[in-house]
Each structure stands twice: as C-alpha cells, then as structure tokens.
Amino acid sequence: MTIEAKADRVLSRGGDWDFDLLRTYDAEIRAIAEEFELDTYPNQIEVIASEQMLDAYASVGLPISYTHWSYGKEFIRNEEAYRRGMRGLAYELVINSDPCIAYLMEDNSMPMQALVIAHACYGHNSFFKGNYLFKQWTSADGIVDYMVFAKNYIFSCEQKYGIDKVEETLDACHALMDHGVDRFHRPSPLSAQEEQHRQHERAEHARKQFDDIWRTLPRSAVDAEEKTAKKRNVFPPEPQENLLYFIEKYSPTLETWQREIVRIVRKLAQYFYPQGMTKVMNEGWATFWHYTLLNEMYDRGLVDEGFMFEILQSHTNVVMQPGYDQRGYSGINPYALGFAMFKDLRRICEHPDAEDREWFPDIVDKDWRQVLDFAMRNYKDESFIAQYLSPKLIREFHLFAIADEQKAEHYRVDAIHNEAGYREVRRKLSRQYNRDILVPDIQIQRYEHMGDRSLVLRYNRLRDRPLTDDATEVLKHLSCLWGFKVTMEIFDEKEGVVDKMEVLPAGQRA
C-alpha cells in the first residue's frame, strides 16, 4: 500500500471530535477487538463534564448510589485538589455492569477518547466478563437496578426515621465493609425485584410480632445445628468472618429497616471485592489491549503519526515506574507491572529464549492470545504474579528482597538476581497481593445469646503485627450496630490470647 493510499484511510486528524466520530472510532476498535476474540458486554458510552467525573469519583464510580455525607466530603476534597492543579482527573471511568458503562471526559482530545474506548470498553469490559472472580462474585446485569432500589430505600428511611439515625447506621456499616464479604461461597444474585419482595416479607413479619393473636402460634422448628450449639451454649458453631452478614442476621437491637441497610452495604462491599483482588491484572489487561488495538489501527492506516504521538505519550506516563529512591515513588505501579507481564507473556509465546524455555515450558511457542486469555480468566493478582513473573521482568524492574526481622539490628538482602533469588522475589511479591495479609483476620467467636448478649471477636495476629489505633473506633461502630458489649481478643498462635479490647455502645456503662 502506498503512503497516499494509506493516508486516505485515516479516520480523523487533530484533536477535535464529535459524536459521529466517536461512533466511527468505536466501530473500528470493536472490529479489531473481535478479530482478537475479545469477549465483552455491550458498551454504553457516556460523555461527561469534569464536575460529573468528580461526582462519580465520590460515589465510588457507580452511576447511581444512595446519599451519604462521606460522598460529599470526597467530592469537595477532589474538587479542591483539581481546581488548584494538584491532581488531574481520570480520562475515563468504567462500570462493571451489563451493558458495560464507560464515562469519557468531554475535555479529552480525539486520540484520548479512542484510547479510553480501547482501554475501558474492550480492555476492562472483557476482563469484567471473563475473569473468574467477577463471574463468581458479581452480577453485572443487576448492579444498576439494585443501586436504584438501594437509593430509593435509604431515602425512604431518611424520611421515616430521620437523616441522623440513617447516617449513623451507614457510618457503622461503611467502617466494616472490608469485613463484610464472602470469600468461600457464592452470594445470592442481585435482583431489585427479589429484594423488594423480601423487604415486604420482613415488614410483614415485623408487624406480626406486635399482634398478640400471632403469639399463640407455635414457634417454627429451629435448625438442628443451632439447637446443638445452644445446648453447648456456643453460638455460632464455627467462627464467622463476614461481620456484616452476622450482624444483619443476629443483632439483638437492629430494627428491620436497619438490617436492610446493613444488607445493602454488604452487597456493595461484595460487588467491589473482585476489584481489590485483581488491580494489577485488570489495569494491566486494559493497558495491554489499548496499546495493542491502537497500534493495530496505526498499522492499518486508520490513524496518523500525530495521533500515535499523543497516545504513546499518555501510555508512557501511565506505565512509568519510578525507582524506590525517586520522587513520587509510592510502591509498584499496577499499570506498569500488569502491562509488562502481559506483554512479556506474548514475548515468551512468540520469541522465547533459553531462559523462557526453562521457566515456562508449557507456554513457549503457543498461541499468545490463548495463553493471555487463559491467564486473564483463571488468576488473581497473587496467583498471576506467582505463576508468570519472569526473571527478565525481575531484572527490568530491578526487584530484590529485603529481610526485615524484628530482632535483627540490620536489614538483610534476602534475594538477588540468581535462580533461587528469582523464585524468592516472585514468591514474596505475590504475597504482597494476598488479601489475607492486607486485611486483618478478624472473626466472630461467640455470641452470648443465653447471657448478656455480648459479642466476642478474635483478631488472629499475623507475624506479631499490632492493630492500628483505628481498631477501637471500628469496634465502636460495631457495638453501635450490635447494641451490647463487644470484646475483641488478640490471639497469637504460639501464646494464645495475649490481649483484649472491650467497647460498650454509647450510653452504656461497664
């Protein structure tokens, strides 16, 4: 193809755009994405102003949510920083829903709009649809309807019971969100209709409790396991890690509407659970595909050099990894590590060297699209790094391991660039993305349902790590929802219970 003929295919020049041009770029990117066999939800692209993007930031990215003072505080904080030039805004925001909702900033140039479409609408979108954590733990087709239900329900509670009481309940729930997810069994799907039906059933049940005629009926049969536990005076029979679920079901003091709010926050925490487990993979996958799709457009003559200069400048900024001793360093950039790993997987498949053949014999010379697709679908950050981080990338990122032992006077370099060192670096880096290490292991041990109704929790201490000062404040929120004394035991595997923390609800005395 001649240069002139190639130039005739260029979709646009310069930074100006309109909605027809956005549709044209989307169609071309979608056609190339389909050739690469990317499987996505239908896309819903919306162009918003900077203030709307700030508003979306505040409500954790969802297109609709209930009102809460913390969202307003977050909006003001981000707005002040943006107006003073202390921070920029994301070029896009994408929602894990069906259809997949992508927000584009109206201030973006046409090259940046194309990058956003490739990154969000075909990168993130295909990850949301394909990765096993999102498939197992979220309901993309139900989240928007469910948030409409949640917004309306909480608004109605504010009208009936007062804003202050509703906010107090929401504050407590938000403080416990990290401890309000299921990790080992699938939650029920999100359905606004089912939630409304169940809500009516709860209200009817509560009404019957105040009607004396219903008190003459025999109690329903109690679950056999719960009977056995009551005989032993131990409930629950096994420790429970989902604090919000236990509070929703068994709190002695919560009213029906408060239990519904606990459930709403718990469902929201579950929706965001996979995103915290796949930050490196999700951003790396989306970055890899915007880079691949847009370079393919250039190779086909659909965009010109000016377009690619702007794209590559933005891409380079996104995947930049500052050194540990450089200004702006805040740990490993998930965009940089994720993109490098997916790009490296393609290299290993297409152009392996002797080292690759030794470390990755199962994927060398394989179809790179199938290898990347398999990795995207079946791993989370921790296992992805443990499986696929190569010695080549360890050298490129200058990674090494430092041993920081409590009793030692000095740090020790624990792993360097040799075979044993590569494996140790990979193992230790993957552990940094293990949620069990990042989130304290706190479980409900006992509910004294036959006694003073107090709740006993246990913090299983990891490597002598103490809890932060925020632990007492979080316990206060928990006691607010529980209504009785809350005790947390500090448990060490070798020493047993080494300390205790006790909190009473406001207004109660020991």
Side-chain angles (χ1 to χ4, degrees):
M1 181 183 295
T2 65
I3 295 178
E4 292 76 10
K6 183 177 179 180
D8 290 339
R9 300 189 61 200
V10 173
L11 300 179
S12 67
R13 297 185 184 278
D16 294 339
W17 62 268
D18 56 35
F19 287 99
D20 288 335
L21 194 56
L22 284 183
R23 294 188 187 95
T24 300
Y25 271 89
D26 178 46
E28 294 289 350
I29 295 171
R30 180 171 63 251
I32 298 174
E34 289 173 353
E35 291 180 23
F36 282 106
E37 300 179 352
L38 289 181
D39 182 24
T40 63
Y41 296 120
N43 281 300
Q44 178 179 326
I45 299 175
E46 300 187 10
V47 180
I48 61 176
S50 59
E51 187 165 305
Q52 291 172 298
M53 183 65 81
L54 287 165
D55 190 48
Y57 275 9
S59 59
V60 291
L62 291 170
I64 188 168
S65 185
Y66 52 81
T67 56
H68 187 251
W69 64 267
S70 63
Y71 297 157
K73 177 182 177 181
E74 186 70 9
F75 177 88
I76 293 172
R77 186 181 70 84
N78 286 324
E79 183 182 40
E80 286 295 316
Y82 176 63
R83 302 304 177 203
R84 293 175 182 176
M86 296 170 62
R87 67 166 296 174
L89 290 179
Y91 295 114
E92 48 81 22
L93 201 61
V94 60
I95 310 300
N96 171 28
S97 59
D98 183 7
C100 182
I101 303 173
Y103 296 115
L104 281 62
M105 283 274 287
E106 66 178 5
D107 296 338
N108 292 346
S109 64
M110 187 62 246
M112 292 310 304
Q113 301 291 35
L115 184 149
V116 166
I117 291 171
H119 183 93
C121 298
Y122 299 96
H124 283 309
N125 187 347
S126 58
F127 192 91
F128 291 150
K129 189 174 182 180
N131 181 263
Y132 82 100
L133 281 173
F134 287 89
K135 293 171 71 173
Q136 182 176 354
W137 297 112
T138 66
S139 300
D141 58 345
I143 183 62
V144 174
D145 287 342
Y146 185 78
M147 292 312 299
V148 171
F149 157 77
K151 179 182 178 69
N152 293 336
Y153 185 82
I154 290 178
F155 177 75
S156 69
C157 290
E158 290 174 341
Q159 301 300 306
K160 291 180 183 178
Y161 310 108
I163 293 177
D164 291 343
K165 196 167 184 180
V166 172
E167 281 195 347
E168 182 182 35
T169 304
L170 282 172
D171 288 348
C173 292
H174 285 183
L176 296 168
M177 282 185 78
D178 284 342
H179 302 281
V181 297
D182 291 308
R183 295 189 300 158
F184 301 112
H185 62 86
R186 182 179 176 85
S188 57
L190 290 174
S191 169
Q193 291 77 18
E194 290 180 11
E195 294 294 329
Q196 289 171 341
H197 176 68
R198 189 186 50 75
Q199 172 196 336
H200 292 317
E201 285 184 340
R202 267 189 175 175
E204 182 65 15
H205 174 74
R207 184 186 66 79
K208 290 177 180 179
Q209 301 310 302
F210 295 96
D211 193 335
D212 287 338
I213 194 172
W214 289 96
R215 298 182 187 275
T216 63
L217 295 178
R219 285 187 60 192
S220 59
V222 183
D223 182 82
E225 187 178 26
E226 186 174 335
K227 274 186 176 179
T228 304
K230 282 187 176 181
K231 289 179 181 178
R232 299 195 312 265
N233 200 26
V234 175
F235 185 81
E238 297 179 352
Q240 303 292 306
E241 68 170 2
N242 191 330
L243 306 190
L244 286 181
Y245 179 82
F246 193 88
I247 289 168
E248 176 197 341
K249 298 299 180 184
Y250 300 110
S251 170
T253 59
L254 286 186
E255 298 181 33
T256 302
W257 65 270
Q258 291 175 304
R259 296 183 194 277
E260 191 65 51
I261 289 179
V262 174
R263 181 181 175 86
I264 287 170
V265 176
R266 179 170 64 84
K267 290 288 188 180
L268 190 60
Q270 193 72 58
Y271 170 81
F272 286 110
Y273 170 69
Q275 300 195 28
M277 305 280 282
T278 57
K279 181 70 174 177
V280 170
M281 288 188 68
N282 199 347
E283 296 298 352
W285 178 261
T287 304
F288 173 85
W289 281 110
H290 84 229
Y291 179 84
T292 301
L293 295 175
L294 297 181
N295 271 285
E296 185 68 22
M297 290 185 72
Y298 176 72
D299 291 341
R300 298 185 184 189
L302 298 174
V303 297
D304 60 12
E305 286 78 4
F307 178 101
M308 288 306 297
F309 279 139
E310 185 171 347
I311 291 296
L312 293 175
Q313 181 182 25
S314 176
H315 173 82
T316 302
N317 291 335
V318 166
V319 300
M320 181 184 66
Q321 175 60 62
Y324 74 93
D325 56 350
Q326 292 180 334
R327 184 177 182 181
Y329 176 78
S330 58
I332 295 180
N333 178 0
Y335 293 83
L337 181 60
F339 171 72
M341 288 188 66
F342 281 115
K343 189 178 179 184
D344 194 49
L345 278 179
R346 180 174 181 176
R347 178 195 63 79
I348 292 171
C349 293
E350 293 184 319
H351 308 291
D353 57 24
E355 184 179 59
D356 299 324
R357 294 184 184 280
E358 178 183 353
W359 281 72
F360 305 102
D362 295 337
I363 64 174
V364 294
D365 300 324
K366 298 291 179 63
D367 184 336
W368 68 269
R369 288 177 293 185
Q370 294 181 7
V371 171
L372 266 64
D373 183 75
F374 179 84
M376 177 271 289
R377 293 180 183 276
N378 296 288
Y379 290 87
K380 56 185 177 182
D381 286 348
E382 179 192 0
S383 55
F384 180 63
I385 292 170
Q387 179 70 24
Y388 291 118
L389 183 64
S390 70
K392 181 177 184 296
L393 282 188
I394 292 175
R395 292 191 294 269
E396 289 183 359
F397 275 78
H398 308 294
L399 299 176
F400 59 95
I402 294 289
D404 180 13
E405 298 174 352
Q406 186 176 3
K407 297 180 180 180
E409 295 184 4
H410 304 283
Y411 295 114
R412 185 181 77 253
V413 177
D414 195 44
I416 58 174
H417 292 175
N418 54 32
E419 182 169 353
Y422 293 140
R423 297 188 187 279
E424 185 66 6
V425 166
R426 186 164 69 173
R427 185 186 69 83
K428 289 189 172 181
L429 182 59
S430 69
R431 279 177 57 83
Q432 292 186 15
Y433 295 90
N434 182 348
R435 186 182 185 275
D436 294 341
I437 294 176
L438 300 176
V439 178
D441 180 11
I442 298 175
Q443 302 177 12
I444 293 172
Q445 291 292 116
R446 298 188 305 280
Y447 165 28
E448 301 293 350
H449 62 294
M450 303 291 286
D452 61 2
R453 298 189 181 184
S454 63
L455 193 65
V456 179
L457 293 86
R458 175 172 290 179
Y459 164 52
N460 296 301
R461 192 165 64 179
L462 177 68
R463 296 171 60 188
D464 297 329
R465 291 181 183 174
L467 292 169
T468 66
D469 295 338
D470 294 335
T472 302
E473 295 302 316
V474 175
L475 282 183
K476 288 179 181 178
H477 284 298
L478 198 156
S479 68
C480 173
L481 294 174
W482 191 251
F484 291 89
K485 182 176 71 173
V486 174
T487 301
M488 185 159 69
E489 303 172 343
I490 313 301
F491 182 82
D492 185 271
E493 284 187 355
K494 297 179 180 178
E495 304 176 38
V497 177
V498 296
D499 198 4
K500 289 184 179 180
M501 303 169 62
E502 290 188 355
V503 173
L504 290 171
Q508 289 191 21
R509 294 183 179 179

